[in-house]
Amino acid sequence: MKSLSSRAVLYGLTMLFGLLCALPNVLPTAVSQQLPSWYTDNSLALGLDLRGGSHLLLEVDTRELLRNDNQQLANDLTAALRKERIAFTQPAASIESVQIAVRHTRDNPDLKRIALSLNSQPGEPGTRFTLEQAQNKNQWILRMTDAHREALTSDAVDRSLEVVRRRLDETGLVEPSITRQGADGILVQMPGVANPQEIRQLLGTTAKMTFHWAANGKSRQVITLEDQAQGTAYELEEQVAMEGKHIRDAQLAFNPDSGQPVVNFKLDREGTDLFGDMTRANIGRSLAIVLDQKVITAPVIRGVIAGGSGEISGAFSASEASNLALLLRAGALPAPLKVIEERTVGPDLGSDAIAMGISTGVFGALLVIGFMLAVYGRWGFIACVGLSINVGLIFGILSLLGATLTLPGIAGIILSIGMAVDANILINERIREETRNGKSAFGAMSEGFNRAYSTILDSNATTLIAVSLLFLFGNGPVKGFAVTIGIGLLTSMFTAIAVTRLLMEWRVRRMGRRPLVISGIRRLDNLTSGSLNLMRGRVMGLMLSLVLSVGSLALFFGPGLDYGIDFTGGTLVEVQAPDVTVEQLRTSMQEHGLGQAAIQESGDAGQYLIRLPMLGAEQVASGAPVETLKQAVTELAVDASFPRVEMVGPRVSGDFVQASIMAVLLAAAGMLVYLWIRFEYHFALAATLTIALDLTKTIGFFVLAGVEFNLTAVAALLALIGYSINDKVVVFDRVRENLRLTPDKPLLQLLNESITSTLTRTVFTSLTTFLALLPMAVAGGAAVASFALPMLFGIVVGTSSSILIAAPILFYLGQRRMRNGGAQLRPSAEQIRKELDLIP
């Protein structure tokens, strides 16, 4: 082990670096302006739920993209067949495949040869489609492969990201965040945007511009498109004369003769040459400019246009012409984008969330600090120093990662404060035990840390399994919660094992030969000396737990959970409309065709929550129901405001359900495997069964308390899994230790002694976590109710099950294992070495 001074330097530099990374978050503006930007920019960004803004989740609709790709394949195939004079029927292209037939059986080998020659694209040779011969031997099916479909989708999403970014940059929007989400999603976060309807329209427009000649007697394939203003039908050639990709600039202008808004555009060099050749060969013919399958204008070409510029006129308003120019400058989307989720938070609601998060966090931390000082005195003060450093390191790492702080993230930090104390309580209780066993001050401290180390490692590892699944399957703010909890667990291990040990070692060395006495509230010896027979009530405890769990399952099936829109889909709008009654709102909703709206009073007078049931994908994409709802409210109160809007489509809600179920199942499986490896199978099974009982009771709490079950509630369940298993691991670790020290002791007695010897730690840790979350549960409001309230209930249930349920289950499984001739534990490495030494 390194010397005290060298460790002090190493740990000090590590802490200094972490705290310096966190410092820009609290520096006054006047000071920040005097420091280099590379340092001050290293700070946390606030999420939309804290500073206000809008969040749109867009889905790339790849159906048209796939259909066009197959149509292009069909065109290439027919061109090749015509070149070799092979008779065929007109191919049929769909999203999945191309079907084509030759007229003569003798041409089948040639069709197969030509088709296979097209079965490649740059970068993905031989993967474009599979070739199948139908029951009609002359008919062939070219079916798109999964690899090619995924490549097309990925490329479309990547290109869409760039187009969305250019469009938002053109609007002058401040600091939009545009990121890819999943296989075909784009998440757009826009701080300060309280009404994203205009942005919806801007991003939802594909802006695919093409130029088509009017059909004449020589035209082979003709399409009919309507004028976007008056609905006039135009007969046009299907073949594209020129694509809009050649437009390099477009600006709003006004026609000098009529004064009407127009769009002046300029072409790139290739487009200039092409446009000049086109117009030279087609003087006197109409050229239609088509935007997203709608004709904007169809002027007659009166002469050669060789300058590379032109004018688009139509029945535009100035705003419409300006938006069209913006869309042309930014470029066309490769595929349509549809809004599948929208969430908006007003700036006032965001500032309230910040104030609530800070106040409840500070108050919770003060409660934890006060408890530790009362229980452990000066040694509790050392733990509090480590806890303060831990919080600073959490913010430092989050700043270094460029993370975004959200309201669930604040909840995660508050929870990590309570959980971080766990390691310090474990260590202090172990030191107390070693001191009572007659160890010297330094020996008690050293042995206490050594014995607590494996318990801390196992308990935090199992919690990290649940947290990692939250990150993998969570969405948006829930990922922020998972990140803060994960970082908090890692930094708490560093501060507890390294920093706290360094401070305690320094203190112990100054004590000389005096014994190490941890002052403060002492444990109750009659509860922890083994005289309290907690295992005596094992049958009653298990039966009561089972009855409560079965009752909770019955409540789950009826009346059931109050699912939030994350799971059910639909719309939730928070309304502030002074002097408006529920009856007036309901009447107005019915008049506007929203009679299915559920209206609930919330908070002060004039505050309401209005819910609309599941909407179709097209309604979510357009945002029309929200606009109709706002219109219905503002007709009653002109000064009405809408601090929060949430709209979730069927696609998103379905994904949430699948992801939540998968996350819970994987969390249970991951912990089962980990505990099986670290302990034994019956230990792992006992912990998993106990967790299942804890979760079912928590589900019953959701039903009885009427707490909304949403994505935040899933985060609470997974956090509870990690927290509850943490408790069980501490008890099981002591059981394992006692089994190795006294393997011949009756199992019932050994389990009882293990429970009582860890009882103080179990109760104290749960109490500190409870105190840390209590202010948030009391004053946090509806925004965090689905997290804080179930967590408080889960802490109580998890603590009681660690004491009364987990060990009895382990006892019965252990009895069964002994009857089958198995040992309670596999031999340790030390035991194996001893046995090998005895072999002659």
Side-chain angles (χ1 to χ4, degrees):
M1 181 181 290
K2 295 181 179 179
S3 66
L4 182 64
S5 57
S6 62
R7 280 183 287 137
V9 171
L10 178 62
Y11 299 157
L13 290 174
T14 303
M15 290 184 291
L16 181 62
F17 176 74
L19 296 176
L20 284 175
C21 289
L23 189 60
N25 294 289
V26 295
L27 286 176
T29 305
V31 177
S32 298
Q33 292 174 347
Q34 306 300 319
L35 297 173
S37 59
W38 61 264
Y39 177 65
T40 55
D41 289 344
N42 182 49
S43 59
L44 283 169
L46 295 180
L48 296 184
D49 55 351
L50 295 180
R51 59 173 168 171
S54 294
H55 144 136
L56 295 176
L57 180 59
L58 308 167
E59 178 188 30
V60 178
D61 185 357
T62 58
R63 291 174 298 176
E64 182 180 347
L65 183 75
L66 299 178
R67 186 183 293 108
N68 289 341
D69 187 76
N70 277 333
Q71 184 60 57
Q72 183 60 49
L73 174 61
N75 294 341
D76 294 342
L77 184 58
T78 55
L81 292 172
R82 284 196 186 104
K83 186 176 180 181
E84 297 199 15
R85 300 182 180 279
I86 298 173
F88 60 90
T89 61
Q90 187 66 29
S94 65
I95 295 176
E96 296 293 333
S97 64
V98 174
Q99 297 187 32
I100 190 169
V102 293
R103 296 190 183 277
H104 306 292
T105 304
R106 65 175 182 272
D107 292 327
N108 276 325
D110 290 328
L111 185 146
K112 183 176 181 181
R113 171 180 54 80
I114 292 171
L116 292 177
S117 70
L118 299 174
N119 192 19
S120 64
Q121 281 194 338
E124 46 172 327
T127 60
R128 190 176 182 184
F129 59 84
T130 59
L131 186 62
E132 306 170 13
Q133 194 169 16
Q135 291 182 347
N136 176 3
K137 296 300 183 181
N138 286 357
Q139 187 172 12
W140 295 81
I141 302 173
L142 290 70
R143 198 178 304 279
M144 184 180 293
T145 63
D146 292 339
H148 183 61
R149 183 184 295 105
E150 291 171 5
L152 281 176
T153 301
S154 179
D155 178 67
V157 174
D158 289 339
R159 287 190 289 150
S160 297
L161 280 168
E162 290 304 314
V163 174
V164 168
R165 186 171 288 111
R166 289 198 297 267
R167 290 185 183 181
L168 292 180
D169 288 344
E170 288 280 354
T171 65
L173 201 63
V174 179
E175 298 179 1
S177 171
I178 306 156
T179 55
R180 182 169 181 166
Q181 183 154 317
D184 57 358
I186 296 176
L187 179 63
V188 179
Q189 294 181 311
M190 300 165 288
V193 176
N195 186 357
Q197 185 62 25
E198 186 176 343
I199 302 296
R200 274 173 160 272
Q201 296 173 352
L202 182 68
L203 299 181
T205 303
T206 308
K208 182 179 180 181
M209 177 167 283
T210 53
F211 295 79
H212 296 257
W213 291 110
N216 57 24
K218 298 180 181 179
S219 303
R220 287 187 176 180
Q221 295 177 316
V222 178
I223 56 174
T224 301
L225 298 179
E226 293 183 350
D227 184 287
Q228 69 173 3
Q230 299 177 353
T232 305
Y234 288 84
E235 297 288 330
L236 306 175
E237 288 187 352
E238 184 179 22
Q239 183 178 359
V240 175
M242 189 179 75
E243 294 182 349
K245 66 181 182 180
H246 294 297
I247 297 177
R248 64 177 176 86
D249 189 26
Q251 297 292 336
L252 166 69
F254 292 90
N255 187 290
D257 297 326
S258 65
Q260 292 296 314
V262 296
V263 175
N264 288 334
F265 65 88
K266 294 181 180 179
L267 301 172
D268 59 18
R269 184 170 181 177
E270 182 182 351
T272 299
D273 295 340
L274 177 59
F275 204 59
D277 295 339
M278 285 166 46
T279 54
R280 184 178 295 108
N282 292 276
I283 294 176
R285 194 174 178 188
S286 294
L287 178 64
I289 302 175
V290 178
L291 180 70
D292 292 343
Q293 300 299 305
K294 293 288 184 180
V295 177
I296 299 176
T297 184
V300 177
I301 303 301
R302 302 299 182 186
V304 179
I305 304 175
S309 62
E311 178 184 286
I312 303 174
S313 60
F316 297 136
S317 66
S319 175
E320 290 170 342
S322 178
N323 282 341
L324 175 58
L326 183 156
L327 292 170
L328 294 179
R329 289 196 302 272
L333 290 166
L337 290 178
K338 293 185 177 180
V339 176
I340 57 176
E341 180 186 354
E342 174 190 330
R343 298 181 192 267
T344 300
V345 176
D348 293 339
L349 201 60
S351 60
D352 291 345
I354 294 175
M356 181 278 298
I358 293 175
S359 59
T360 57
V362 169
F363 195 53
L366 290 175
L367 288 176
V368 171
I369 290 172
F371 178 82
M372 291 298 290
L373 292 175
V375 172
Y376 297 113
R378 70 182 66 177
W379 305 103
F381 176 76
I382 290 176
C384 293
V385 171
L387 182 63
S388 302
I389 294 171
N390 179 55
V391 174
L393 291 178
I394 291 174
F395 279 99
I397 295 175
L398 289 173
S399 300
L400 196 62
L401 295 175
T404 299
L405 186 63
T406 61
L407 189 56
I410 293 177
I413 293 173
I414 295 173
L415 178 60
S416 68
I417 291 174
M419 296 178 69
V421 180
D422 176 47
N424 292 285
I425 292 176
L426 271 170
I427 292 166
N428 284 329
E429 290 303 317
R430 276 292 193 173
I431 292 173
R432 273 181 169 172
E433 286 184 33
E434 299 303 326
T435 301
R436 280 199 306 273
N437 291 335
K439 296 278 181 68
S440 63
F442 192 85
M445 186 209 68
S446 180
E447 192 66 19
F449 270 95
N450 292 339
R451 289 185 177 276
Y453 177 76
S454 63
T455 307
I456 294 171
L457 179 63
D458 284 334
S459 59
N460 283 323
T462 50
T463 306
L464 281 171
I465 291 173
V467 169
S468 62
L469 290 168
L470 261 181
F471 181 80
L472 290 175
F473 291 94
N475 190 9
V478 175
K479 283 194 173 185
F481 170 78
V483 169
T484 54
I485 287 287
I487 292 173
L489 287 172
L490 295 175
T491 55
S492 68
M493 289 180 66
F494 168 72
T495 54
I497 296 172
V499 178
T500 304
R501 178 164 187 161
L502 183 74
L503 295 174
M504 292 186 75
E505 189 174 330
W506 170 77
R507 176 65 185 167
V508 166
R509 289 189 177 185
R510 294 188 61 187
M511 290 172 57
R513 296 182 177 275
R514 286 178 294 171
L516 195 163
V517 178
I518 297 181
S519 58
I521 299 174
R522 302 296 183 86
R523 69 162 78 204
L524 300 176
D525 290 336
N526 65 316
L527 294 181
T528 56
S529 62
S531 59
L532 183 65
N533 190 355
L534 294 171
M535 292 294 288
R536 180 186 304 165
R538 60 188 180 277
V539 175
M540 183 179 295
L542 285 173
M543 292 300 297
L544 179 61
S545 177
L546 190 60
V547 168
L548 291 175
S549 292
V550 171
S552 297
L553 288 175
L555 290 172
F556 172 75
F557 290 106
L561 294 168
D562 177 19
Y563 290 102
I565 63 171
D566 292 330
F567 291 97
T568 63
T571 301
L572 173 66
V573 180
E574 185 174 330
V575 176
Q576 291 183 351
D579 303 324
V580 175
T581 65
V582 173
E583 290 74 18
Q584 289 174 315
L585 275 176
R586 185 170 290 112
T587 301
S588 183
M589 292 292 156
Q590 291 173 347
E591 291 174 352
H592 286 78
L594 300 176
Q596 72 276 33
I599 304 171
Q600 173 188 347
E601 293 184 273
S602 172
D604 299 332
Q607 292 186 349
Y608 303 96
L609 287 177
I610 302 179
R611 300 172 189 265
L612 298 178
M614 169 72 80
L615 305 170
E618 293 301 324
Q619 291 176 298
V620 175
S622 67
V626 171
E627 294 305 308
T628 304
L629 186 152
K630 288 182 177 180
Q631 182 182 351
V633 175
T634 52
E635 287 180 1
L636 295 173
V638 178
D639 57 345
S641 60
F642 307 90
R644 180 162 60 111
V645 175
E646 296 184 10
M647 187 185 305
V648 178
R651 153 76 187 276
V652 177
S653 60
D655 290 347
F656 280 155
V657 172
Q658 295 174 10
S660 301
I661 294 173
M662 184 65 69
V664 172
L665 292 178
L666 286 178
M671 292 176 185
L672 181 67
V673 171
Y674 181 84
L675 293 174
W676 191 352
I677 294 172
R678 288 289 292 165
F679 292 85
E680 290 291 342
Y681 175 72
H682 59 305
F683 281 78
L685 185 57
T688 305
L689 291 174
T690 309
I691 293 297
L693 293 172
D694 291 348
L695 285 181
T696 52
K697 295 183 187 71
T698 308
I699 294 295
F701 170 80
F702 272 101
V703 178
L704 291 175
V707 177
E708 184 179 277
F709 193 82
N710 50 31
L711 198 58
T712 307
V714 176
L717 288 182
L718 286 172
L720 277 174
I721 290 175
Y723 179 83
S724 188
I725 203 73
N726 185 304
D727 259 359
K728 279 66 177 171
V729 166
V730 172
V731 176
F732 287 176
D733 186 79
R734 184 60 65 94
V735 172
R736 178 175 58 182
E737 179 183 331
N738 289 339
L739 278 170
R740 285 177 176 161
L741 289 174
T742 56
D744 297 328
K745 183 175 290 188
L747 184 58
L748 194 63
Q749 180 184 348
L750 187 143
L751 288 172
N752 196 71
E753 291 176 359
S754 299
I755 297 171
T756 53
S757 61
T758 56
L759 185 60
T760 301
R761 173 266 160 201
T762 300
V763 173
F764 282 2
T765 297
S766 300
L767 190 54
T768 54
T769 310
F770 191 93
L771 290 173
L773 288 173
L774 184 61
M776 175 169 280
V778 172
V784 292
S786 295
F787 172 80
L789 294 177
M791 280 298 300
L792 290 184
F793 176 81
I795 289 170
V796 175
V797 169
T799 303
S800 60
S801 68
S802 297
I803 299 170
L804 303 172
I805 307 301
I809 294 177
L810 180 61
F811 170 73
Y812 290 116
L813 291 175
Q815 290 285 88
R816 180 175 177 272
R817 188 180 178 95
M818 285 190 293
R819 287 195 299 270
N820 293 333
Q824 294 299 313
L825 289 176
R826 66 177 74 94
S828 64
E830 184 179 354
Q831 289 172 327
I832 293 173
R833 282 196 299 271
K834 287 181 179 179
E835 291 178 3
L836 290 175
D837 290 340
L838 295 175
I839 299 175

